[in-house]
Amino acid sequence: MNFDDTPQEAAFRAEARAWIAANAPKQYEDELAKASLGRLVLSGANVLDVAKAWQKKKADAGWACLHWPKEYGGRGSSPIERVIWQQEEGAFGKLSRMFIIGHGMCGPTMMAYASEEHKRNYLPPLASGEKVWCQLFSEPAGGSDVAGLRTRAERDGDDWVINGQKIWTSGAHYSDYGILITRTDPTVPKHKGLTMFFLDMKSPGVEIKPIKQANGQSEFNEVYFTDVRIPDSQRLGAVGDGWNVSLTTLMNERMSIGASVATGFPELFDYCNDLVIDGAPAIDDRAVRAKLANWAVKASGLKYTAFRSISALSRGERPGPENSIGKLVAGSMIQEVATYALDLQGAAGVVSDPAQAEVAGKFQAMLLRSPATRVEGGTDEILRNIIAERVLGLPGDIRVDKDVPFNKIPTKGRG
Amino acid sequence: MNFEFSDDQKQLRDQARRFLAEKCPPKAVRAVLEGSAGYDKALWSGLAEMGFLGVAIPEEFGGTGAGHLELCVIAEEMGRALAPVPFSSTVYLAAEALMLAGSDAQKQKWLPKIASGEAVGALALFEGPGNPSPQAIKVAAANGVLNGVKKPVADGAIADFAIVAARVGSSGRETDIALYLVDLKAGGVEAKTLTNVDPSRNQAELTFKNCKAEPLGAANEGWSILTRVLDRAAVLMAFEQVGGADRALEMGRDYALDRIAFGRQIGSFQAIKHILADMYVAATLARSNCYYGAWALSTNAGELGEAAATARISATQAFQHCSKQNIQVHGGMGFTWEFDCHLYYRRSNALALSLGSLSYWEDQLIERMRKKNVA
Ligand SMILES: Cc1cc2nc3c(=O)[nH]c(=O)nc-3n(C[C@H](O)[C@H](O)[C@H](O)COP(=O)(O)OP(=O)(O)OC[C@H]3O[C@@H](n4cnc5c(N)ncnc54)[C@H](O)[C@@H]3O)c2cc1C
Ligand SMILES: Cc1cc2nc3c(=O)[nH]c(=O)nc-3n(C[C@H](O)[C@H](O)[C@H](O)COP(=O)(O)OP(=O)(O)OC[C@H]3O[C@@H](n4cnc5c(N)ncnc54)[C@H](O)[C@@H]3O)c2cc1C
């Protein structure tokens, strides 16, 4: 049991460190270090532009999507090397946020199901950030129950014609491509009639409407499809096999989200060191310490759980459903942390204007964004079901719609 | 980086698990719980024969010299099996204190006896309510004798020797406290067993009356040695707690699969599934923190203080949570003497208080993190 680099790992770390020191956009380092959930602002610059420039620079030097094969824009690195890179990239890694869905979910799905030609065409510009991808899964009728989706795909010659609506699509407004799950057969039970595609978001008939979120920002969108044509060559997996394809995506989603979700603890710890209550640093207060200690051990537990997964990964084991715990724990934790940080501020905690509020309104922004973490990428309840069923082996939920043809499933709750 | 026990260490775990499954079934725990022996002597000898008591003791002092990672592995199995023996008192506390601060003669005298199962050790620290603190220590040492009362002392009534924290000065500083080694069979000490929440382990009151004692370590370093011993023991205890937490989770899971209510396995109700999922989460976080502690312990890393407090808090929470929720999953059956749920519940709450309770470790953790932050 050790944290030491092997000689090769140490050499890799030195190379990465030197390259980052010479190439990273240092002018933004301070602001990036201060950014947290719900707030990332770079003065005088557009975050997306800065992020794309950094991603392209990394890709040109062979530091993008490290674990992908070289021919698809990666570096063919080991899981450990990927972790070393993340450690060295530090705050600049926050610029990768808008690529998480593309790199973490769309890319692996393409890698598993696209034709060789498509992989060579589409994956390198995805790796380099020149093209941004989104994930078109959730619908008004199906979020947790994704398989309840209603967007139709109908065969017409060499094409498929898409009609319907997606919702909660993060980044659709700046995405070039998307992976899209559709219903191709409504007469069979719901999991059996699905098919996956990828498409150009600029295709005629695609309409994107931003949704204003509860925290006032607009990261996600509604996406409408009216007679959108997708060539059959852009189908991922067999017709009717979309559910299995989506599981690849969702498992990768848990890995990429789960391994890196923010807990808010480092921010709160720093804040309690600086904040003075009744003439003494907050951190000297026993009640504050008890709270901090409880969150400290959760944050640490998540960190070392991730280390254990990485060890397992580098021994060649597959990432399993146990990775669901990362987001489950961090999601409610960051919400509690933000609530407590405001509590420490007393009545002044209500002020959120960055110019007036404590630590530039960081915790107020965190509070308002945090409910989404417990919903996106699988709700807390769905994650608990996954742990109970897939890790502990408890019975699955009783599914009343399992063997019913999709078009016979009721669509309304009350009335 | 490699954040996993080695294949040899995993083999040792399997060996310990098999041994304990055979020699320490719940029946053996109940025999101590309901009897007056204070511990399972046959199991204790068996553990010695297996070499488990001396895994971290160097060969020159009668141990196998395997190391502390191996001891972590065994501690976890002891926790799973609720082994009713003075393992933590003797191995995590007394042996660690001797290895850290004992003279060569003291080590020669006691360590081989620990490894062979001939001597049971204990740490006499607490004097009534309160957490570890130099101010709380009133037992006085003067002219080579001790006077005063220690309670509770885990395994105090079955121990052959004790490490005693005693007051040698009144300056109000940590240096007022020194450690002493007392042969409990040599007279001058009266031991009285205390009824406690987990009778499968002994708790005692020790009264020292002009009791002969020899210094352990330098006189003014008693508190700093003690703090280091507690940190080392905290990691080992955390493994014991994680072992218990995992077993309680398994018991709950198994019952949820077997029990039918409303025509279904109760494990098919989400209310029960989510209870069990949360138990799994707590146990997993604790295990990962324990691995961090094991690394720090086995390498004497500068992070040991922080890692030990982290592992200790996390494992205390996990074992208490899992043992409590295991009863909940069992419904009325969980509240019977006959089912084993209460054995885990009792043990989890007793271990939570040994070595200082949660609030002590929470305070230690943040103090240590704060110091590192300033440095
Ligand atoms: C910020 C954000 C970004 C997102 N980005 C994307 C994206 O890019 N692409 C995309 O496709 N989707 C995205 N989503 C959608 C997200 O995946 C869904 O919101 C999520 O899966 C929940 O689905 P829902 O909103 O339909 O809620 P519902 O499924 O209607 O859930 C409502 C409540 O019921 C509970 N519930 C539902 N089913 C069960 C069950 N079987 N057992 C117990 N409880 C249950 C849920 O836990 C929840 O509490 C995003 C969501 C958010 C908040
Ligand atoms: C101290 C004590 C005194 C008692 N006194 C009396 C008395 O005087 N008279 C009397 O008749 N009974 C008495 N009882 C029995 C008591 O009412 C039952 O123990 C209780 O109703 C639970 O039933 P059970 O033990 O069969 O557990 P189960 O029903 O087997 O429950 C086991 C677990 O499954 C959960 N569970 C079961 N069904 C569901 C569901 N549909 N949804 C979600 N979760 C579920 C339960 O919440 C529990 O966590 C007493 C029990 C105790 C502990």
Side-chain angles (χ1 to χ4, degrees):
Chain A
M1 191 167 296
N2 68 68
F3 294 108
D4 307 335
D5 287 340
T6 62
Q8 293 99 304
E9 286 161 9
F12 178 86
R13 188 184 294 280
E15 197 187 340
R17 184 173 297 180
W19 189 84
I20 290 165
N23 293 286
K26 296 253 170 31
Q27 64 275 34
Y28 302 117
E29 189 165 14
D30 240 25
E31 281 171 304
L32 284 169
K34 287 194 194 121
S36 54
L37 183 70
R39 217 200 47 207
L40 171 59
V41 268
L42 303 178
S43 43
N46 177 308
V47 177
L48 186 60
D49 294 342
V50 176
K52 281 189 159 193
W54 174 230
Q55 192 63 26
K56 177 75 168 84
K57 205 166 187 182
K58 288 194 284 186
D60 288 345
W63 296 106
C65 295
L66 286 108
H67 57 301
W68 288 12
K70 284 202 180 104
E71 61 271 32
Y72 305 141
R75 192 187 183 87
S77 290
S78 69
I80 298 281
E81 285 174 339
R82 201 177 153 204
V83 173
I84 292 173
W85 169 266
Q86 280 166 3
Q87 288 169 346
E88 295 300 324
E89 192 181 16
F92 299 110
K94 293 183 186 173
L95 287 172
S96 309
R97 248 177 225 169
M98 50 266 311
F99 305 121
I100 286 182
I101 289 176
H103 292 162
M105 297 161 229
C106 305
T109 309
M110 289 289 284
M111 218 132 7
Y113 293 98
S115 70
E116 188 56 35
E117 191 194 339
H118 281 155
K119 287 196 256 192
R120 287 182 189 272
N121 284 341
Y122 289 98
L123 289 174
L126 166 54
S128 68
E130 287 161 280
K131 299 293 178 195
V132 179
W133 286 57
C134 62
Q135 176 198 4
L136 299 145
F137 281 23
S138 301
E139 296 190 9
S144 301
D145 182 17
V146 184
L149 61 90
R150 323 196 132 255
T151 294
R152 288 296 315 269
E154 283 161 315
R155 189 75 193 240
D156 181 25
D158 282 345
D159 289 345
W160 293 83
V161 180
I162 316 293
N163 280 288
Q165 183 203 343
K166 295 288 170 179
I167 195 168
W168 322 128
T169 318
S170 301
H173 53 304
Y174 52 71
S175 288
D176 302 284
Y177 297 96
I179 53 173
L180 170 72
I181 184 158
T182 62
R183 183 163 307 280
T184 40
D185 186 353
T187 66
V188 293
K190 64 180 185 180
H191 290 94
K192 301 197 172 122
L194 304 176
T195 305
M196 187 80 79
F197 299 94
F198 72 91
L199 90 161
D200 186 337
M201 292 296 284
K202 309 282 177 320
S203 306
V206 176
E207 191 190 352
I208 298 163
K209 294 188 183 167
I211 301 174
K212 186 166 181 181
Q213 296 161 186
N215 67 345
Q217 299 178 340
S218 288
E219 301 160 298
F220 57 30
N221 305 271
E222 291 178 293
V223 181
Y224 291 88
F225 298 85
T226 314
D227 294 330
V228 175
R229 298 190 82 85
I230 301 181
D232 185 54
S233 62
Q234 291 180 198
R235 174 164 46 80
L236 298 171
V239 175
D241 202 32
W243 182 247
N244 283 326
V245 179
S246 78
L247 291 182
T248 310
T249 318
L250 295 175
M251 193 56 231
N252 277 290
E253 175 167 40
R254 279 197 286 280
M255 260 319 270
S256 57
I257 295 187
S260 60
V261 248
T263 62
F265 178 73
E267 291 94 333
L268 181 67
F269 184 76
D270 287 347
Y271 183 55
C272 289
N273 272 287
D274 296 339
L275 177 69
V276 172
I277 298 179
D278 298 335
I283 196 159
D284 288 346
D285 184 297
R286 282 206 95 124
V288 172
R289 284 185 175 211
K291 290 271 194 186
L292 285 176
N294 277 291
W295 286 316
V297 306
K298 277 192 182 160
S300 159
L302 288 179
K303 173 175 167 191
Y304 294 109
T305 300
F307 278 26
R308 285 171 59 206
S309 303
I310 293 155
S311 278
L313 211 58
S314 59
R315 285 193 305 274
E317 293 169 25
R318 273 176 63 83
E322 64 277 2
N323 289 302
S324 301
I325 84 167
K327 196 179 80 77
L328 177 59
V329 173
S332 15
M333 178 169 157
I334 197 164
Q335 194 167 26
E336 288 168 20
V337 161
T339 308
Y340 187 61
L342 266 60
D343 179 277
L344 286 171
Q345 297 167 21
V350 78
V351 179
S352 60
D353 175 358
Q356 298 273 343
E358 286 283 283
V359 273
K362 171 183 284 192
F363 293 108
Q364 284 76 12
M366 196 185 275
L367 176 81
L368 294 176
R369 174 58 173 75
S370 58
T373 309
R374 298 179 53 200
V375 173
E376 62 191 320
T379 65
D380 284 2
E381 292 70 32
I382 294 298
L383 296 179
R384 286 195 177 91
N385 284 349
I386 289 171
I387 292 171
E389 293 168 24
R390 312 253 320 271
V391 182
L392 299 176
L394 292 160
D397 275 1
I398 292 174
R399 293 179 192 274
V400 291
D401 56 2
K402 194 169 177 221
D403 302 314
V404 183
F406 180 74
N407 53 13
K408 300 280 186 317
I409 297 173
T411 54
K412 272 212 171 106
R414 289 192 291 186
Chain B
M1 183 184 78
N2 174 17
F3 208 55
E4 192 38 275
F5 284 104
S6 69
D7 288 344
D8 284 351
Q9 286 154 357
K10 287 182 190 156
Q11 264 177 24
L12 178 67
R13 165 165 47 209
D14 295 344
Q15 189 191 18
R17 189 169 297 189
R18 279 196 306 273
F19 172 81
L20 287 164
E22 190 189 326
K23 306 285 185 197
C24 184
K27 202 171 62 181
V29 182
R30 284 171 181 275
V32 175
L33 180 83
E34 293 170 1
S36 58
Y39 73 112
D40 184 334
K41 295 196 175 82
L43 176 60
W44 191 244
S45 316
L47 291 165
E49 272 164 40
M50 295 296 287
F52 293 166
L53 300 182
V55 273
I57 295 175
E59 280 175 280
E60 54 170 322
F61 298 116
T64 68
H68 281 87
L69 288 178
E70 286 72 10
L71 182 52
C72 289
V73 163
I74 290 169
E76 181 180 337
E77 296 310 313
M78 301 292 280
R80 252 186 103 77
L82 297 180
V85 286
F87 192 69
S88 50
S89 305
T90 307
V91 177
Y92 316 160
L93 291 165
E96 290 296 324
L98 281 164
M99 290 194 284
L100 216 56
S103 66
D104 208 52
Q106 287 168 333
K107 290 195 236 181
Q108 285 296 355
K109 177 167 181 196
W110 292 106
L111 290 175
K113 286 190 181 165
I114 291 177
S116 66
E118 290 163 81
V120 168
L123 173 72
L125 166 61
F126 301 107
E127 301 183 17
N131 272 317
S133 122
Q135 284 72 37
I137 290 176
K138 305 278 187 291
V139 165
N143 310 319
V145 297
L146 300 179
N147 278 289
V149 181
K150 290 283 185 187
K151 72 172 175 187
V153 179
D155 303 308
I158 56 175
D160 298 291
F161 71 99
I163 313 268
V164 186
R167 175 165 296 279
V168 291
S170 51
S171 69
R173 287 193 293 268
E174 287 183 6
T175 48
D176 292 342
I177 307 303
L179 294 183
Y180 287 85
L181 209 166
V182 174
D183 184 340
L184 296 172
K185 303 291 178 206
V189 199
E190 197 187 307
K192 196 172 92 190
T193 290
L194 302 171
T195 304
N196 82 93
V197 297
D198 177 19
S200 68
R201 292 290 304 279
N202 178 260
Q203 297 286 346
E205 175 185 274
L206 296 186
T207 304
F208 299 90
K209 281 190 192 137
N210 293 323
C211 173
K212 269 183 44 188
E214 51 182 86
L216 182 81
N220 56 356
E221 285 176 12
W223 194 257
S224 90
I225 299 166
L226 185 73
T227 314
R228 278 183 290 154
V229 171
L230 288 179
D231 283 351
R232 301 177 75 76
V235 174
L236 297 162
M237 190 66 92
F239 270 92
E240 199 170 312
Q241 291 170 303
V242 157
D246 259 10
R247 182 65 198 127
L249 167 60
E250 279 172 23
M251 289 163 72
R253 195 261 327 263
D254 290 349
Y255 191 77
L257 289 171
D258 289 339
R259 169 75 172 167
I260 303 282
F262 301 95
R264 294 158 60 173
Q265 290 166 296
I266 59 167
S268 70
F269 295 119
Q270 274 195 8
I272 295 293
K273 286 163 82 166
H274 289 190
I275 286 180
L276 290 163
D278 285 341
M279 289 162 74
Y280 171 82
V281 167
T284 301
L285 295 180
R287 173 174 299 281
S288 301
N289 281 323
C290 279
Y291 282 24
Y292 172 43
W295 164 79
L297 175 66
S298 65
T299 57
N300 270 315
E303 290 91 337
L304 178 60
E306 200 180 319
T310 301
R312 167 74 177 155
I313 295 168
S314 192
T316 297
Q317 292 173 337
F319 193 12
Q320 283 184 316
H321 182 77
C322 290
S323 68
K324 173 178 85 177
Q325 295 296 58
N326 180 37
I327 294 183
Q328 186 61 22
V329 170
H330 278 73
M333 282 302 178
F335 192 59
T336 60
W337 189 261
E338 184 192 341
F339 269 60
D340 293 333
C341 304
H342 71 105
L343 304 181
Y344 284 82
Y345 186 62
R346 289 170 181 279
R347 181 64 63 84
S348 74
N349 283 291
L351 294 188
L353 305 173
S354 62
L355 313 178
S357 64
L358 263 184
S359 49
Y360 169 77
W361 289 101
E362 287 167 355
D363 193 52
Q364 290 292 313
L365 173 60
I366 300 304
E367 179 60 21
R368 291 162 186 188
M369 290 178 74
R370 192 181 65 83
K371 283 205 177 115
K372 187 179 77 179
N373 200 43
V374 171

